Structure formats: C-alpha cells, structure tokens
Amino acid sequence: MERTFREQLFLLMLCLSVPRGHCRYIEDNEVTEDELFSVLNSDLKREIPETSMYRRPLRCLDMVALEGQFMFTAETPALRCAAFFIAEPHKVFSLQYDHVDVDCRGGDFIKVFDGWVMRGEKFPSPQDHPLPLHDRYVDYCASSELVRRTGVRSSQNVFMLFFHIRNAGDGFTVTVRQHVNPFPCNIISQTPEGSFTMVVPQQHKNCSFSIVYPVELQISDFSLGHYSDTTVSKRSVTCSEARDFVELLGGSGLDTSKMSPIAELCTSFTGPTQMKIGCDNTVVRLVSSGRFVNRLTFSYNLLDQKDLQMIKLNSVDNFCFTN
C-alpha cells in the first residue's frame, strides 16, 4: 500500500534521527513519494564550534540542514542517490566541488537541482522560479571548467544534489555554505510553526512559502502597493485581475501550480485573519506585478489531531484529505 504523505515525513524523520542509519537506495533518478519528500526537523541541527567546519559522509538518501564539507564514496556499484539540503528561510546555498572521482564517460553523473524534485513535481514550480527549467539542472560531468572550479548557488533555501555512481570506491567531496538572502523568495519551512515577513520590492515575480504540515495560519499584516487604488474596490474584479494578490493553496505535492486554491487576498489590511488548513502542504503565495512594493506578515502553528478531525468532518472542501 502506498504511504500517505504524513507517513513519508515520519519515515524520513526516523531515518535521519539515527546518525548512522541508512535508508534504502533510490531506484530512480527522480525521487518518488515512497522514497523522499522532506525532513523538516530543527533537531537535525547540532551545536558546532564556529571555528571548525562541520564534516560528515553523505548517505545515499540524505537530508542536510547545515553548511559544511560532505563526502560520498560508493560502497556498491550502480548507486542512484539523492541529498536534500534545506536552510533557514533567509538563507541560500553555494556548493563547491573539492574532489570528484567518478566515471563521467561511463554514465556517472553528479547533478545539482536548484530546488527540490519529488515524483516529477518541482519546488519552486516552473512558473515561480526565475530560471527556465533546463538551467536549474547543473551536471558536473557536462559543466565547464569554470563551473567546476567556482561551483553553483541556489536561488532559495533548498536545493538537491543527486548522483549516479557505477563503480564501488568512486565518489566526491563538496563544500556547502549558507549565505544571507536579503529578500527571501520561494521557501520551504523547516518547522511546523513560526512567523515570516515576505517582501517583494517592485519586482515582477511570484514568491511561495511552503509549510509541509497542516497548520493554523494567521495573517497579521498585508500591504499591497495599490492600497490607495480605489479602482480595484469599485470594480467587481478577481484578485488575479488585480495583478498583485496573495493566494492560499493546499495540497499534497510540491508543485504550487497543481495545488488547490483555498483563498485569495487582494485588499491591504492590518489585523489578524486566521484560517485552519488541514492539507499536508500549505502554501502562502505572493503574486507581484512589479509595480509596487508588496509586504505580507504571517505566522503558523501545527494543527493537532482534534482540529484535523473537525476540519475533515465539517469542511466541504475535501481535496486536502487522502486515503
């Protein structure tokens, strides 16, 4: 029987809570629901002296929430593996290759994906990411010497490293560092509770904040650049016609374009607005035309089982609940 979304999360948290544990090998180049979605657990972070670099081997199926140096050596041939990296919302990653010993001509690869992939679904979705999809994949074996020397950088707080190594004993070493992002955009939350302020400074872009838990969401401040534009309120237009608005989405996958709309907001306000969303993945998505400075502040808390049961019994929208 196929695992539910929450069971997948629990499995990964269990695997990664054991420092020397090993999950089963990945069978395909892209990770499926049975193999990985995320591990979003702040307990993964460890106290590390600032003067020393964190170092450890990568597992074939791994989640990393720290910067440091990571090594992988294939113990058996024909391994297909994936490592998912996640930082705090206001950080991005850079990756440098320290040492690579793989057979590129024989079919090996080490690929960096700018975002996360699961069962063909991608975060950020192609419509939200600043780069075309083919430019988000960087294959070490197909890269120029400049890219091999300088490395790659993520656009948001998550990226994925996946690799296929045919020969036992081959492997690589990479150094991953985190950098402050002054205007975070397209984020996956590490935890089921927290608060965040999203600011889009007159840029034509869409920014999503993904919370991979059922949560109670509270919006405390919402300011769009057309706050004083009365033409929006005088006309009976939808938020999408207003060109600057917020979407609340729910679903069980990664791709925001495949999630179901819960609500739209396109009128600025100050004061709490609360909503309980029982989806496995809750997304706050700010759509900006580039004409204004848009700002959104919200907080979120994990729903307990009682809340989930009440929502499931009373809600007419049952798209969030899967067998």
Side-chain angles (χ1 to χ4, degrees):
M1 180 180 296
E2 187 172 296
R3 295 188 185 94
T4 66
F5 193 82
R6 294 187 184 93
E7 287 172 338
Q8 296 159 26
L9 288 175
F10 178 77
L11 175 63
L12 260 296
M13 289 179 184
L14 181 62
C15 288
L16 292 173
S17 66
V18 181
R20 296 185 180 179
H22 295 273
C23 296
R24 61 189 178 87
Y25 294 149
I26 296 176
E27 299 294 336
D28 304 307
N29 291 343
E30 288 193 343
V31 179
T32 67
E33 285 183 346
D34 280 339
E35 293 160 341
L36 182 63
F37 177 74
S38 71
V39 63
L40 306 171
N41 189 340
S42 60
D43 292 338
L44 287 175
K45 297 186 175 182
R46 306 172 188 175
E47 294 297 326
I48 300 172
E50 294 183 1
T51 56
S52 64
M53 177 178 289
Y54 177 54
R55 291 180 174 85
R56 77 161 172 85
L58 280 177
R59 294 179 286 267
C60 185
L61 179 59
D62 213 340
M63 174 66 63
V64 180
L66 292 167
E67 61 179 13
Q69 189 175 65
F70 302 94
M71 302 76 68
F72 182 82
T73 302
E75 297 178 356
T76 59
L79 283 178
R80 290 180 173 90
C81 304
F84 283 60
F85 290 78
I86 183 169
E88 295 179 357
H90 63 286
K91 297 290 186 66
V92 294
F93 286 100
S94 65
L95 177 145
Q96 282 190 300
Y97 301 100
D98 299 327
H99 173 75
V100 176
D101 181 17
V102 299
D103 185 5
C104 290
R105 293 184 177 181
D108 289 358
F109 61 76
I110 306 171
K111 293 183 181 180
V112 175
F113 179 72
D114 192 9
W116 279 3
V117 182
M118 187 191 72
R119 204 176 185 180
E121 292 195 12
K122 299 170 179 66
F123 182 90
S125 68
Q127 67 188 43
D128 289 352
H129 199 280
L131 297 176
L133 187 58
H134 60 83
D135 287 343
R136 294 170 64 182
Y137 289 92
V138 179
D139 186 352
Y140 173 87
C141 289
S143 297
S144 66
E145 285 299 323
L146 178 63
V147 172
R148 293 186 180 188
R149 186 170 62 253
T150 61
V152 294
R153 191 180 180 105
S154 73
S155 302
Q156 61 287 307
N157 77 319
V158 294
F159 83 95
M160 171 185 172
L161 181 67
F162 62 103
F163 42 96
H164 178 200
I165 300 178
R166 297 164 54 89
N167 301 316
D170 288 355
F172 59 88
T173 300
V174 295
T175 295
V176 176
R177 299 189 184 277
Q178 299 179 10
H179 311 272
V180 174
N181 182 8
F183 294 105
C185 181
N186 296 323
I187 295 145
I188 293 180
S189 176
Q190 288 184 336
T191 62
E193 58 183 35
S195 61
F196 189 73
T197 296
M198 187 182 297
V199 179
V200 179
Q202 288 187 290
Q203 295 178 346
H204 178 48
K205 63 194 299 187
N206 306 327
C207 292
S208 294
F209 192 98
S210 179
I211 311 162
V212 195
Y213 300 93
V215 294
E216 179 178 14
L217 186 69
Q218 178 173 294
I219 298 175
S220 58
D221 184 64
F222 177 36
S223 175
L224 294 176
H226 57 62
Y227 180 83
S228 59
D229 188 353
T230 57
T231 59
V232 175
S233 59
K234 288 180 179 179
R235 296 170 52 216
S236 297
V237 298
T238 63
C239 284
S240 58
E241 289 177 291
R243 296 180 63 188
D244 292 82
F245 60 96
V246 167
E247 286 183 310
L248 302 182
L249 305 171
S252 59
L254 279 178
D255 193 334
T256 55
S257 66
K258 298 178 181 179
M259 299 176 72
S260 300
I262 298 173
E264 287 185 342
L265 306 171
C266 53
T267 303
S268 300
F269 62 85
T270 300
T273 296
Q274 297 185 114
M275 182 177 296
K276 294 181 179 181
I277 304 174
C279 298
D280 290 337
N281 190 8
T282 301
V283 170
V284 181
R285 184 169 181 262
L286 178 56
V287 178
S288 296
S289 66
R291 298 178 295 170
F292 313 107
V293 177
N294 296 326
R295 179 186 179 94
L296 174 68
T297 299
F298 58 92
S299 59
Y300 50 98
N301 293 282
L302 182 67
L303 288 177
D304 58 30
Q305 288 300 317
K306 182 179 178 180
D307 286 328
L308 284 173
Q309 191 62 27
M310 290 297 295
I311 293 174
K312 189 171 183 179
L313 290 173
N314 298 333
S315 178
V316 293
D317 296 320
N318 62 358
F319 56 82
C320 290
F321 302 100
T322 57
N323 295 325

